[in-house]
Amino acid sequence: MARTGRAAHFRDNIVLYGALLANVGIAIAKFVAAALTGSSSMLTEGVHSLVDSGNQLLLLYGQVQAKRPADAAHPFGYGRELYFWAFVVAILIFAVGAGVSVYEGWVHIEQPEPLRDPGVNYAVLAIAFLLEGSSWTIAVREFGRKRGPSSWWQSIRRSKDPAGFIVLFEDSAALVGLVFAAMGVWASHYFAAPRLDGVASIAIGLVLGGVAVLLAREAKGLLIGESADPAIIQTVWHLLDQRPEITAVNHIRTIHTAPDAVFVAISADFADELGMGRAESLIEELESAMRAAIPELTSIYIRPEKRQDAILQPRPF
């Protein structure tokens, strides 16, 4: 049973584990290459990969913590803890990844150091590109499988699971960074201008800073609390519309308490002739129908309320 659980955990987080293994190996190779050649952009890339490795560990930790069962202190569970660690990851990319890259590049521009053996850098960059490309391919395939008919950007904006799109952003930034590093190594060697290697480091830092800002924006929205996908709200509304005992739906409010858990609060106007006992049975029937249609609905609150006394929500479809 334990083995089955571990296997399922690995399958669910194959993107994170693939990125972690790739980044650890790449970071070691880049640091060795930087030590042998004195390349600023290679040192920057090593820090980049090291930060990415730490980020994957934090997200895996967040996945474990988010699955803790609800208790008296957290009646809706710990699912949103994953969103906190996603925000921490964005801060680390900005503060450590981008900050160190820009600083190292600036130092190398002020105190240039000629490259000793660019061939080592080219070999390491080629290997890193293959490994990062493999991790990126896994991330793209997994995210594409889950996104459905929506565009890539719409899927990222609507995604409630930060692990998938964070790795996608990280790997994309890593591939761009590798291109900049290769350009910096080549240009500094070809033109005998070591400062160009520092310029490449700053360019890598700016890419990481941009990615960090995008990730922080998405993580902030999840932390504050985002509503469920419009298709979920539409399904709930249709289920309510099908019941003749409900004369009007006043509003439906949803919020994600975890990537795969949604709390829904419903205000509906029940028919005046409906007795208390029948109203209670109706609520139970609606809750069962909603959970059967939408497994993500972990908490359902239905409040009978006169339409004239309620806050009204326009029908969203």
Side-chain angles (χ1 to χ4, degrees):
M1 192 73 175
R3 288 183 180 178
T4 303
R6 285 194 294 268
H9 172 76
F10 182 81
R11 285 194 303 272
D12 292 341
N13 296 284
I14 188 171
V15 173
L16 288 174
Y17 281 111
L20 176 61
L21 292 174
N23 281 315
V24 169
I26 292 169
I28 295 171
K30 288 175 180 175
F31 282 130
V32 171
L36 292 175
T37 65
S39 170
S40 171
S41 58
M42 285 302 295
L43 180 61
T44 292
E45 276 294 300
V47 172
H48 179 186
S49 295
L50 190 64
V51 171
D52 283 352
S53 301
N55 290 342
Q56 271 95 59
L57 288 173
L58 286 176
L59 290 173
L60 285 168
Y61 175 76
Q63 295 274 29
V64 173
Q65 294 297 102
K67 293 186 181 301
R68 286 185 294 169
D71 53 32
H74 297 86
F76 293 106
Y78 291 81
R80 292 172 73 178
E81 184 164 344
L82 177 60
Y83 302 155
F84 166 77
W85 290 110
F87 192 75
V88 170
V89 164
I91 293 173
L92 285 176
I93 293 175
F94 187 85
V96 181
V100 170
S101 298
V102 172
Y103 172 78
E104 173 62 24
W106 184 257
V107 168
H108 201 75
I109 290 173
E110 288 192 326
Q111 301 173 359
E113 179 182 349
L115 294 180
R116 291 187 287 272
D117 185 7
V120 175
N121 285 332
Y122 292 138
V124 171
L125 286 171
I127 294 171
F129 200 88
L130 288 174
L131 292 175
E132 289 284 9
S134 299
S135 175
W136 181 84
T137 300
I138 294 173
V140 168
R141 185 182 297 120
E142 286 297 305
F143 194 82
R145 182 175 60 84
K146 297 176 182 177
R147 72 184 178 93
S150 302
S151 69
W152 283 91
W153 184 243
Q154 285 178 330
S155 298
I156 290 170
R157 294 300 308 274
R158 293 176 180 175
S159 175
K160 303 303 185 279
D161 186 1
F165 65 75
I166 284 179
V167 173
L168 187 60
F169 272 114
E170 281 184 346
D171 287 347
S172 298
L175 291 173
V176 173
L178 288 170
V179 172
F180 283 164
M183 293 171 60
V185 170
W186 175 83
S188 61
H189 179 69
Y190 185 82
F191 296 107
R195 285 185 173 87
L196 294 177
D197 195 40
V199 172
S201 292
I202 292 177
I204 293 169
L206 293 176
V207 170
L208 291 176
V211 168
V213 170
L214 285 173
L215 292 180
R217 178 182 174 182
E218 294 302 313
K220 183 196 75 171
L222 293 170
L223 270 176
I224 294 173
E226 291 188 354
S227 64
D229 188 275
I232 291 179
I233 299 175
Q234 183 174 350
T235 301
V236 171
W237 209 298
H238 281 321
L239 288 172
L240 294 167
D241 280 342
Q242 291 173 4
R243 306 306 298 249
E245 301 95 332
I246 295 178
T247 59
V249 178
N250 301 322
H251 63 248
I252 298 175
R253 294 173 178 170
T254 60
I255 189 170
H256 268 266
T257 57
D260 56 353
V262 175
F263 170 83
V264 58
I266 299 165
S267 169
D269 192 347
F270 285 30
D272 292 339
E273 65 274 11
L274 205 64
M276 180 65 71
R278 176 56 191 144
E280 291 176 350
S281 299
L282 176 61
I283 290 173
E284 291 177 0
E285 292 168 9
L286 286 169
E287 289 180 352
S288 298
M290 289 176 189
R291 288 196 172 96
I294 313 166
E296 295 96 327
L297 295 184
T298 54
S299 299
I300 302 172
Y301 172 74
I302 302 175
R303 177 185 179 183
E305 188 175 17
K306 292 293 184 184
R307 190 167 180 80
Q308 60 268 26
D309 299 328
I311 298 174
L312 302 183
Q313 172 190 355
R315 184 180 288 267
F317 51 89

